[in-house]
Amino acid sequence: MVEFEEEQINSEEATIEDVKELKSWMFQEQVRIQTRRDELMAFNHELMQTKRELEREREDLSAREKAFKKRYENNEALIAKELKIIEDAYRQLELDKKALECERLNFEHEKTKYRKQKMSGSNRTNTHQHGGAADAAYDGTSFFRGVDSELTLRKRYKELLKIFHPDNKCGDAKTLIKIQTEYDSLRSQYYEG
């Protein structure tokens, strides 16, 4: 029995030692866990701070992207306006070119008419003496010079209408009347013949 009591005392001492050891281990584990938790909290804080910085950067990039898109759209609109202005200028240039060509044709016509009047100045007195009242009413300018058929006559008439019609920039009603008179007289010649 003495042995049993000794064993019991030894076992009680062992249990007390085990409990002390266990308490020491638990304390160390608690310290380790607390340290680990502090490390994780610090890491979590860093992650949250990084997340906030990334959110700010994303918002900045989004704002920059919107600004670039707006600038791009404004540039596209400006380019479209400039292109329209250039196209309008080319159209106007083409119209001015046609008007200038019409003016040149009018000038050539007037120049030819002046030359004929100058050359026929002495013949005019003869014409009046011979009773050419129809010739005096019309100055003899030939818009249909070189016309030798009815088809050519109609073709030239349409071309002259396009040039001298009063709706055109270089149109002239008086010249158109002269063209019409000459056309009617030549057309009646082709129908009679």
Side-chain angles (χ1 to χ4, degrees):
M1 224 162 138
V2 175
E3 289 179 7
F4 176 71
E5 285 179 9
E6 281 180 20
E7 271 184 37
Q8 199 173 7
I9 291 174
N10 283 340
S11 100
E12 280 180 17
E13 285 178 13
T15 307
I16 291 174
E17 283 295 317
D18 285 341
V19 168
K20 282 183 182 178
E21 246 180 69
L22 188 60
K23 279 184 179 181
S24 171
W25 178 80
M26 284 178 69
F27 178 73
Q28 289 173 354
E29 271 305 301
Q30 193 174 10
V31 169
R32 188 183 66 79
I33 288 172
Q34 184 64 34
T35 307
R36 186 70 178 144
R37 186 176 3 161
D38 290 344
E39 288 174 0
L40 287 174
M41 291 296 281
F43 184 67
N44 186 27
H45 181 70
E46 288 177 22
L47 282 177
M48 292 304 283
Q49 194 173 3
T50 306
K51 181 180 176 183
R52 275 187 242 115
E53 288 173 5
L54 288 174
E55 284 292 323
R56 269 187 254 122
E57 286 180 20
R58 187 176 63 83
E59 289 172 4
D60 288 346
L61 286 174
S62 178
R64 275 193 227 151
E65 181 185 7
K66 285 179 184 176
F68 282 136
K69 276 185 181 179
K70 188 173 182 179
R71 192 177 307 145
Y72 175 77
E73 289 169 1
N74 289 343
N75 285 343
E76 286 293 315
L78 182 64
I79 289 170
K81 285 179 185 177
E82 288 175 350
L83 186 62
K84 185 171 178 0
I85 289 170
I86 290 170
E87 288 172 354
D88 290 345
Y90 272 119
R91 265 191 238 106
Q92 186 62 43
L93 186 63
E94 191 63 34
L95 291 173
D96 291 346
K97 186 178 175 183
K98 286 180 182 178
L100 187 61
E101 181 62 22
C102 289
E103 286 180 26
R104 187 188 68 75
L105 288 172
N106 279 338
F107 178 73
E108 288 295 323
H109 171 70
E110 291 296 323
K111 191 168 133 182
T112 306
K113 186 169 116 179
Y114 177 73
R115 271 195 221 130
K116 284 186 178 184
Q117 284 176 351
K118 196 173 185 181
M119 290 172 60
S120 66
S122 59
N123 294 340
R124 204 173 270 210
T125 54
N126 294 339
T127 308
H128 284 294
Q129 291 171 357
H130 295 301
D135 289 338
Y138 184 63
D139 66 358
T141 304
S142 178
F143 292 100
F144 299 94
R145 193 173 317 136
V147 171
D148 57 355
S149 69
E150 185 181 352
L151 180 65
T152 314
L153 177 71
R154 275 187 280 159
K155 201 174 195 181
R156 176 78 55 84
Y157 177 67
K158 287 180 183 179
E159 289 171 359
L160 290 169
L161 280 180
K162 286 179 189 175
I163 295 170
F164 294 104
H165 195 276
D167 291 343
N168 289 339
K169 275 190 172 182
C170 60
D172 182 23
K174 292 177 184 177
T175 307
L176 191 64
I177 291 170
K178 290 177 184 179
I179 291 169
Q180 186 67 44
T181 306
E182 189 175 343
Y183 173 73
D184 289 339
S185 106
L186 287 172
R187 193 177 68 171
S188 66
Q189 287 177 8
Y190 282 112
Y191 283 123
E192 287 175 4

